[in-house]
Structures are given as structure tokens and as C-alpha cells.
Amino acid sequence: MLDKVNVPDGDRTRALGLSTLAFTACFAVWTIFSIIGVEIKAELGLNEFEFGLLIATPILTGSLTRLILGVWTEKYGGRLMFTAQMLLTAAATWMLTWASSYTMYLIAALGIGLAGGSFIIGVAYVSRWYDAGKQGTALGIFGAGNVGAAVTKFVAPFVMVSFGWHGVAHIWAAALALMAVAFYLLAKDDPALVARRMSGARSPSLAEQFAPLKNLQVWRFSVYYFFVFGAFVALALWMPHYLVDVYQLDIRTAGMSAAAFSLSASLFRAYGGHLSDRFGARAVMYWMFGFSLIILFMLSYPPTDYVIAGKDGPIAFSTQMGQWPFVITLFVLGFFMSLGKAAVFKHIPVYYPDHVGAVGGLVGMIGGLGGFVLPIAFGALLDLTGIYTSCFALLFVIVAISLAWMHMAIRAMERAAQGEALDKLPQLPEMQAIHSPAQQAQTHLLDEWKPEDKAFWEEKGRRIARRNLWISIPALLLAFSVWMVWSVVVARLPAIGFDFTPGELFWLAALPGLSGATLRIFYSFMVPIFGGRLWTTISTASLLLPAMGIGYAVQNPETPYLIFLTLALLCGLGGGNFASSMANIAFFYPKAEKGNALALNAGLGNLGVSVMQFLVPLGITAGVFGAMGGQPQIMSDGGQLWMQNAGFIWVPFIIAATIAAWIGMNDIADARASFKEQAIIFSRKHNWIMCVLYTGTFGSFIGYSAGFPLLTKLQFPEVNALQFVFLGPLVGALSRAATGWISDKFGGGRVTFWTFLGMIAAVAGVIFFLGIKEQPGAFWGFFSCFMALFFLTGVGNASTFQMIPVIMAREIPRLMKGLKGDELQKQAGRESAAIIAFTSAIAAYGAFFIPKAYGTSIAMTGGPVAALWGFLAFYVICALLTWAYYTRRGGLLFEAEHNRTPAALRAA
């Protein structure tokens, strides 16, 4: 370790002072679009999304470059890196004034984004001058350079009024160039770099610097910084525009008001470093997240009018936050965010003193990406909902998730330190007298589960596994039915009086896929944490929320679009169930039968899409629930529909499935594992490859299922699409359930490879028939090619899942040579189940991207063919990956699939 005691105080002060000034100048340039962007928006006539993309683009470059800039700073020193970075940024800022189109502005903005990389250069440079006891304060002072955002908001509006936005760009570029020259002349190399040069020691390799990035803790720090820094940058960019629109302020007043937030979120960072040194960063993080949660709830509450039926008649009142209360509340939020920024970076030199550049670069990169992603999300939410405070609602959700994750991680550390002592305590101290751990025994818990033991399997294992499978299948079928119900509902909404545009309808069809895929990521790890029985019960019962919500919302054409967006997102609860259901069933079966069991669970579960697309069109034509179901909706042609039945029809079945799961399912004690134990899959290369391949199969199945009804209706309006579209998911689901044996016999890798070749040909056929859609018989060609696609996705779904246990059975002995016997089998089984669940999570994004790709393609080109060409190219990539890694001679599965008997293949 480097002895920093003998470093002169003057050199420390010089390094800290120059770095803080340089970072302030860089940050002023990095946020320049928050002011000049308002004038550029008016000049180019940009919409909200385009404006959000413009102001966020510099944040993208500044974020993505932080990781490599941090590594280079460790190698070449902060003096050289800071100077080069500032000169390049100054040049890009000057060239911004040469832009003449929106695309050129975006390109110039990428260069300006280099200013954001200055943060990690400064962190790596400054931390080398101070010991651990003072690094929090020093980095807090350096981080106060965020005040550059306030400098831009205070000064730039006045410069822009006098000289135009070009004048702002020229002055800011010149000032940054001068700062670069001053830094190079006045700064000194850090003591660690000097010592390394004197000793002749080599610089650390990239592998050595990146080694800590495999730790989940680093990524948790990154999530914290996504809010405390990413949201700070996003709000700094978004607030002038927000204040102009919401409170009708001029740009100078809006800039100065927004600067109050930037000031508090910057200057108090030094105080946050001091508090972290004195009381600990963990305590500061708790206070920051807790108060941020309260403040964001206040800010996210939109202006609302209330009418209450009182004793003496209606009582009307309104709630709305005025301009100055808003500015003050935002100032307080900035104060706590500044404390959080310092607290996050207090952790890094303490935990990773020799890897500050790489770890700090990753954390800074993820935080900076928040500054890129969030303004775009703010604009998209505003376009979708029309509610300005939706940006604060999004931040509220992010803070709630971050706080929960932090608390769970801390509790896990305490539990590891205290052992079983915490488990023996009652949940409530008042219950101490009656608490008995023996009374907590779970009658549904299987303490011993050895499916690979043939005697155990034949005696009782198969019977228990089958019971859990046959309860899981209908629960999963209902989950898929609720998840995809919008694919039918959106096609009928215009007919019953809902005036939504095609773009809004495609959003409703796509959002369940987006939320379902995101929830799958979390659901992937829930079964080992909570147990399969409890989680299946909870996740199935949660389907009642969207099912009943849809039933009520569709009965009134005045229902706001925001309500439909919320219900579409809640339908994603059904999509999340697949990940936990597949992980749960994977634990019950031996390798020899796992492929078929998973194929049955997934295939018959997928059948829910087809069941829904068949039953809902029938159910909405009659008053199935009588007076309890509500009145019918009158169609534009005078007919009647009971659209509420699209949701209500599932309610009794969901209740029955929930009860069955609670009464009849089991938990496996050996399957219990913490998130940390399961998170090892993120370091497995084949986890990520299989994510791509399963996206090609299942992502296609669920995406085509979601978009097929609306696509068919738009491309062939003369055809009653709802009479036919259920056949696609039906074919895909049945082919998955019926073709698992093919992969068991011939090998999942080979089947997957040929499946992708078939999908390429089928998509080419769809493109051909859309090109001649006006000719007789074109619909049937289009329909036949889609049926082939659905069939092939089912085959591929089964084959990819058959591959995963075989791959991990071959990889775990190589990667973990110390494991033998039962421990080796348990580890391979645990990782296989986690990978199966996680790949299903990633693949489920197909339910969002495919319908959204259709909508975007139609909006930009007038048809869906561009999207289909993109899908075809993706299948080519999937086929090449399958061949390169698994099926070619020398590939991981070549020997198992070509030179062994089917029995040996299953046992592999």
C-alpha cells in the first residue's frame, strides 16, 4: 500500500483545488443543453422525445467513457488525462455551432459528452492524495464541482439573451480550453504514479483492473448512483423546460430557479463526504433514500380536483404545488441527493483501494447513464400520459427499489455475521412468550429431494413432481392469458368508442411485454428465496389486479389513457410468472426427464395465449356474468359487446388456481438459495449466449403473439382477424409441448440451429406476401408463413431449454473443480434453473419490442416490412452463434450430440 503520510499538504491542496475547478468547468459544459437546448428546440421544432434525446446525448458519451477513462487514469495519471479530455471537449463544443440539422446536433453532442468523463478522472486522481480517513471529505469537495450545472443555469441565460446560443457555446469552449492549459501547467502527477515510475513497476493490466467488476456489490453501488447522480443530471437538464411549461416562466427565471436545485445537489456534496467520514456512509444512505422517498411522493402528486359528497352537498377542493413551494422542495431533494453522491463514493476507495479507477468508472458510468436514460424516459412519459409530474413518479419507484435492495443486502450481511441467531427471533418481540421455532415447521417443505436417485424417484419423487407440475401448468396458462389479453382487447377498443391512435394502441399491446420481461428478471430468483409453493400462490393471486381492472376500465369510453397504460403494465405480472414457474419445476425433475417436464410446463402454459385469443372474442359477445358483469358497450355499427368479460372471465379460474397452489404444491429445502448464490450465473458466458438464442425463439413466439392480431387487422382490414389469430399461439404452444422429445433424441443444439434456418425462410415468406398483399390469396400465404413461424418458435423454445442443463452439466465440473458428487449435481441444477429463469426474462422483452417495432416501422416507412427485415437479420445472428459455440466440430455440444446414444445424451 502507498504511504500517503509524507505527501506535503500543499500538494494535496493544489491537486484537490485544481481538480475541483476543472470538474466545475467540465460540468458547466456537460449541461450546456439545459439552457441552449430550449432555443434549439424552438429553432428545429422538436417534439418532447427529440428534445429529451438531444439534451441526454452528451450524458451518454460522458457515461460510457467513464469506465475506460478511469482505467486510463490509473495507467497514465490524472494530469495527462484531465488535460486531453478538456481539450477534446472544448473542440467539440466550439464545433456545435457549425451544425445545420438535428442529426449533426446529435453528433456534436456526443463529443460534448466527453466532459462528463472528467468525474472519474478526478476521483481516481484525488483519491491517491488522501488516506482512507479523509477520502470521503476530499472526494466530497471535488464532487461539489457539480455546481458547474448551476453556473450554466445562472450565467448562460443572460449570455444567450445578449449573444444567442452560439455565443454561449463559444465562450464555454474557450473557458474550458484555458482551464485545460492551466491544469497541465500547474498540476502535479499523483504520488502513486510517481512511485510506480521510480520503481519501474508495470501498470496494472486491464484484467486486473476489471476483476472487481464481477462483484454484485459493485453493481449495487451503481444502482444507488443511478439515482443520486443520474437523476441529478436528468433533473438539471429537464427542470428549465419543466418550469417554462408548468409555471410559464421565462428562460432566465426558469434557469435561475432550476439552478437552486443544482446548487444544493452540488455544494452539499462536500458536507456529505464529511458526514460519511464521521457517521458512516451506510447511515447517510439510509437518511438520503428515506427523505428522497417522501419528497418525491410530494413532487409526483399531480394537480388534482376533488369533489366529495358531503352532508350539505358537494365539497370541492384542489391540490397543486405552487412555484416557490416547488423550488424549495426541489432544493431540499437536491440537498439529500448531494449527501448520497458523497456517500456512494465514500464506499469505493474503502472497499476497492487498488481499483478506484475501474470500480469508480463503472459506478460513474451507470450513474451517468441515468442522466441519459431518464430525460428520454421523462419525455416519453410526458408524451404518453400528458402528466408533467410523471418524471417524479418514475424517480419515486427507482428510490423505493434502491432502498429495498440496500436494506436487504445489509440484512444479509448481518445474517451472515450472526448466523442462525436472527432466524430464531420472533417477527414481533411481543410474541416472544409464545414463540417456538419447532411450531414453524412447514408441512409442505420437502427436506430431502434426490430426483437423480432412481429408488427415491420411483418410490415417491415422480408422484410429487407430477402433482406440482399439473398444478403449475394451469396457473401458468392463466398467467399467459392475462399477460397477452391486450393483444385482443386493443383491436376492439376503437369499435366501442375509445379514440386512441394506432401508436397508442401499439403501446398498449407492447407495455405488458415490457413490464412482464422486467418482472421476470426479479421473478427469476424468487423461488429459491421464498419457495416455489408460496411464490406460485402469490404470483397467481396477483393476476386478479389486471383482470378485474380491465373489466371495470373498458366499460367507460371516458376512462383516461393513463389508466389503460397502468393496467397494461399490471398485465406484466402474468408475464413474470413464467420465470419463477420454470425455475420451480426444474428443481423437481431429474436431468433425464427435465427437458420434457419443462416443455410440458412451458408449452401448455404458453397455450394460455391461444386459449385467451379464442375465448375472449367469444366471451365478449354475451353477458356471461349477467347484471354483475355490467352493461354492454354499443359499437359504432350498432352492435353490442361485453368487453369487460375480457378481464372478468379469468377471475374465478385465478381464484381456483391460487387455492390449488397453496394446498397442493411443495417447497424443496435444497432449492433454497440467496440471490448472491444465484448471481454467479452473471459470470457464466453461456448464460448470455442462451439469452440471445432464447430471445430468438421465445421472444419471437410471445412478440408475434402480442402483435399478430393488430398487425393482421391493419395489413388485411377486409379479413376478420380475430377468427384466425388464436391459431398462431396454439400452434406454437402445442409444438413446444409435443417436440421436446426431438431435442432429447437428436440434441438441442442441432435442433436449435435448424430451427433458426427455418425461421429465416418463414420471415422471408411473410415479407414476400406483404409485398403482394393486394393480390388474391396473399393473406393465406402471409398466414401460412406465420403459422410456420409459430411452429418453429415452439420447437426452438423446447430445444433451447433442453440445451441449458446439458451445457451446465459439462461446464460446472470445469469451472468448479472442487465440487464432487451431490454437491456438483446441486450446483449444476441450481445454475441451470437460474439460467432457465433468467433467459426467459430477457427473452420476454420480445413481447415489447416486436409490437413496438411494428408500430415504429409503420410510422417511419408506412409498413411493417422494415421491422421484419430486422427480425430476419437477428435470426441469422442466432444461427451463427448456435453453430459457432455448440454444433460445429469442436463446439461444446458436438461430441454429446453426434457421438452418443440418446440415453447418454440425456444423462450428460
Side-chain angles (χ1 to χ4, degrees):
M1 293 296 292
L2 178 68
D3 182 10
K4 302 176 184 177
V5 175
N6 297 323
V7 176
D9 289 340
D11 287 352
R12 286 197 185 95
T13 303
R14 177 201 295 253
L16 179 58
L18 285 171
S19 298
T20 304
L21 286 174
F23 182 46
T24 302
C26 287
F27 217 89
V29 171
W30 201 29
T31 56
I32 193 172
F33 278 105
S34 63
I35 298 301
I36 68 173
V38 176
E39 189 166 317
I40 294 173
K41 178 177 185 287
E43 185 178 299
L44 298 180
L46 306 180
N47 61 30
E48 299 294 346
F49 177 81
E50 291 170 329
F51 174 70
L53 180 61
L54 176 64
I55 65 175
T57 295
I59 313 304
L60 176 64
T61 315
S63 304
L64 295 179
T65 57
R66 284 184 173 192
L67 184 58
I68 192 62
L69 287 176
V71 172
W72 284 346
T73 303
E74 294 282 346
K75 186 172 184 178
Y76 301 111
R79 176 169 173 260
L80 178 61
M81 292 303 302
F82 235 141
T83 302
Q85 172 267 324
M86 284 190 282
L87 288 174
L88 289 173
T89 305
T93 307
W94 189 279
M95 289 187 290
L96 175 68
T97 60
W98 301 346
S100 58
S101 67
Y102 180 63
T103 302
M104 293 177 66
Y105 279 111
L106 290 177
I107 294 172
L110 288 171
I112 292 173
L114 287 172
S118 60
F119 174 72
I120 193 55
I121 298 174
V123 167
Y125 179 64
V126 170
S127 65
R128 294 213 172 160
W129 293 90
Y130 292 87
D131 57 35
K134 296 181 180 179
Q135 280 176 339
T137 302
L139 292 177
I141 293 171
F142 166 75
N146 290 161
V147 76
V151 171
T152 291
K153 290 180 179 61
F154 269 123
V155 180
F158 296 96
V159 176
M160 190 165 69
V161 169
S162 300
F163 303 104
W165 73 263
H166 289 78
V168 177
H170 289 151
I171 294 171
W172 265 234
L176 189 62
L178 291 174
M179 186 68 237
V181 174
F183 190 90
Y184 184 77
L185 295 176
L186 300 177
K188 294 184 177 182
D189 288 325
D190 65 78
L193 181 66
V194 173
R196 191 172 73 230
R197 286 173 176 171
M198 292 179 62
S199 67
R202 68 174 180 84
S203 301
S205 66
L206 287 178
E208 291 171 338
Q209 294 191 63
F210 287 147
L213 303 191
K214 66 182 180 181
N215 297 338
L216 184 63
Q217 181 189 54
V218 174
W219 295 90
R220 178 160 52 86
F221 292 161
S222 300
V223 172
Y224 303 162
Y225 209 60
F226 184 87
F227 169 69
V228 294
F229 179 76
F232 155 67
V233 174
L235 290 175
L237 295 170
W238 190 255
M239 278 305 101
H241 168 58
Y242 182 98
L243 289 163
V244 168
D245 282 9
V246 175
Y247 295 105
Q248 288 76 52
L249 305 180
D250 61 78
I251 187 61
R252 285 177 292 184
T253 306
M256 294 181 67
S257 299
F261 166 73
S262 299
L263 276 173
S264 67
S266 305
L267 294 179
F268 292 108
R269 185 166 184 165
Y271 184 54
H274 170 71
L275 292 177
S276 298
D277 282 340
R278 183 174 180 183
F279 299 107
R282 182 182 299 173
V284 174
M285 291 296 292
Y286 266 116
W287 282 98
M288 183 275 298
F289 277 137
F291 278 98
S292 295
L293 206 63
I294 296 171
I295 294 168
L296 286 168
F297 177 79
M298 296 166 56
L299 291 171
S300 64
Y301 206 89
T304 308
D305 296 324
Y306 294 93
V307 178
I308 298 175
K311 178 174 69 70
D312 299 320
I315 302 172
F317 64 94
S318 301
T319 62
Q320 183 175 4
M321 186 175 287
Q323 175 191 342
W324 288 111
F326 175 84
V327 173
I328 293 170
T329 305
L330 206 61
F331 181 90
V332 177
L333 175 64
F335 168 77
F336 284 104
M337 292 174 74
S338 67
L339 301 186
K341 283 186 282 188
V344 171
F345 266 85
K346 166 65 178 177
H347 288 83
I348 294 172
V350 174
Y351 282 99
Y352 305 99
D354 299 324
H355 302 87
V356 173
V359 175
L362 176 69
V363 173
M365 181 184 75
I366 300 298
L369 285 175
F372 170 73
V373 172
L374 289 174
I376 298 175
F378 293 167
L381 280 173
L382 181 56
D383 284 338
L384 284 171
T385 66
I387 300 175
Y388 278 99
T389 58
S390 58
C391 58
F392 298 111
L394 175 61
L395 296 181
F396 176 87
V397 173
I398 293 172
V399 170
I401 293 172
S402 301
L403 177 58
W405 190 5
M406 183 181 77
H407 183 68
M408 290 172 63
I410 292 171
R411 290 289 293 163
M413 288 188 287
E414 292 173 347
R415 192 172 299 278
Q418 298 296 327
E420 297 180 358
L422 292 178
D423 293 327
K424 295 180 179 179
L425 294 176
Q427 293 297 315
L428 297 172
E430 294 80 0
M431 299 176 64
Q432 180 70 53
I434 62 172
H435 178 71
S436 172
Q439 295 176 356
Q440 307 302 313
Q442 300 181 40
T443 57
H444 291 267
L445 181 65
L446 302 172
D447 293 316
E448 182 185 45
W449 189 253
K450 299 179 179 180
E452 302 297 340
D453 184 331
K454 291 184 178 180
F456 172 86
W457 181 247
E458 294 297 335
E459 180 181 349
K460 63 177 182 179
R462 177 179 280 114
R463 173 175 50 83
I464 296 173
R466 282 179 175 174
R467 184 179 69 243
N468 281 268
L469 174 62
W470 291 111
I471 294 176
S472 174
I473 286 173
L476 188 57
L477 184 147
L478 290 168
F480 269 90
S481 297
V482 173
W483 189 24
M484 290 290 104
V485 72
W486 279 113
S487 65
V488 171
V489 172
V490 295
R492 305 297 292 179
L493 287 178
I496 58 173
F498 288 92
D499 187 21
F500 297 147
T501 66
E504 290 174 326
L505 292 174
F506 269 114
W507 266 109
L508 290 177
L511 280 179
L514 178 63
S515 62
T518 304
L519 286 172
R520 282 190 179 193
I521 296 175
F522 298 98
Y523 279 37
S524 299
F525 306 100
M526 292 298 104
V527 169
I529 295 173
F530 292 97
R533 170 177 171 258
L534 176 60
W535 190 253
T536 302
T537 302
I538 293 173
S539 59
T540 303
S542 70
L543 302 177
L544 291 170
L545 292 174
M548 298 180 70
I550 291 170
Y552 291 113
V554 297
Q555 296 186 51
N556 184 1
E558 300 300 320
T559 301
Y561 184 62
L562 176 61
I563 299 297
F564 283 96
L565 288 174
T566 304
L567 289 170
L569 289 170
L570 285 174
C571 282
L573 293 169
N577 287 11
F578 182 82
S580 55
S581 179
M582 294 297 284
N584 184 42
I585 295 304
F587 283 116
F588 279 94
Y589 280 84
K591 290 195 297 291
E593 299 184 31
K594 198 185 297 284
N596 191 52
L598 292 176
L600 285 172
N601 190 55
L604 298 180
N606 292 168
L607 197 61
V609 181
S610 184
V611 170
M612 179 277 301
Q613 292 183 344
F614 177 75
L615 287 182
V616 168
L618 295 178
I620 62 178
T621 60
V624 178
F625 297 97
M628 292 178 59
Q631 298 299 313
Q633 295 86 52
I634 306 301
M635 299 172 62
S636 55
D637 61 2
Q640 292 183 337
L641 283 181
W642 283 262
M643 187 61 70
Q644 60 267 33
N645 291 347
F648 287 156
I649 197 172
W650 309 110
V651 171
F653 299 106
I654 292 171
I655 295 173
T658 300
I659 296 172
W662 180 250
I663 294 175
M665 295 191 76
N666 297 94
D667 295 321
I668 300 175
D670 287 344
R672 292 295 180 94
S674 67
F675 175 77
K676 182 178 180 181
E677 291 172 316
Q678 299 176 75
I680 193 172
I681 67 169
F682 297 128
S683 65
R684 306 303 194 208
K685 173 181 67 175
H686 295 285
N687 172 52
W688 301 106
I689 297 173
M690 293 310 300
C691 282
V692 176
L693 301 187
Y694 195 58
T695 299
T697 58
F698 179 79
S700 298
F701 167 79
I702 201 65
Y704 291 144
S705 299
F708 190 41
L710 192 54
L711 176 69
T712 306
K713 186 175 181 63
L714 291 177
Q715 297 303 305
F716 298 94
E718 72 281 359
V719 178
N720 186 354
L722 296 183
Q723 290 183 345
F724 303 103
V725 292
F726 77 92
L727 291 173
L730 175 64
V731 168
L734 292 179
S735 69
R736 179 172 192 164
T739 60
W741 65 272
I742 298 177
S743 298
D744 283 339
K745 183 175 181 179
F746 297 104
R750 283 195 287 180
V751 174
T752 300
F753 176 73
W754 287 103
T755 294
F756 282 124
L757 294 184
M759 292 173 69
I760 292 169
V763 173
V766 172
I767 294 173
F768 172 77
F769 285 108
L770 282 177
I772 60 169
K773 64 181 181 179
E774 303 300 331
Q775 298 184 20
F779 168 75
W780 294 109
F782 164 87
F783 184 78
S784 299
C785 289
F786 252 113
M787 291 305 101
L789 264 178
F790 276 111
F791 176 82
L792 290 167
T793 60
V795 177
N797 288 338
S799 64
T800 48
F801 269 13
Q802 190 274 348
M803 292 169 65
I804 292 171
V806 178
I807 290 170
M808 298 317 296
R810 297 174 67 85
E811 282 287 281
I812 296 302
R814 182 182 67 83
L815 296 170
M816 306 179 76
K817 294 182 173 62
L819 296 181
K820 304 294 182 184
D822 289 344
E823 290 300 318
L824 182 64
Q825 289 185 358
K826 288 179 182 178
Q827 183 65 26
R830 181 182 295 129
E831 292 196 30
S832 296
I835 291 174
I836 285 171
F838 185 73
T839 54
S840 75
I842 301 303
Y845 280 106
F848 169 76
F849 285 111
I850 287 181
K852 193 68 185 71
Y854 286 150
T856 303
S857 178
I858 291 171
M860 296 180 65
T861 67
V865 172
L868 290 164
W869 276 114
F871 304 155
L872 188 149
F874 182 66
Y875 299 148
V876 171
I877 294 171
C878 290
L880 290 175
L881 283 175
T882 307
W883 177 83
Y885 281 98
Y886 302 118
T887 63
R888 66 176 177 85
R889 186 175 296 276
L892 186 63
L893 300 181
F894 179 83
E895 181 182 353
E897 295 185 354
H898 286 260
N899 300 331
R900 297 189 183 184
T901 64
L905 178 63
R906 288 193 296 271

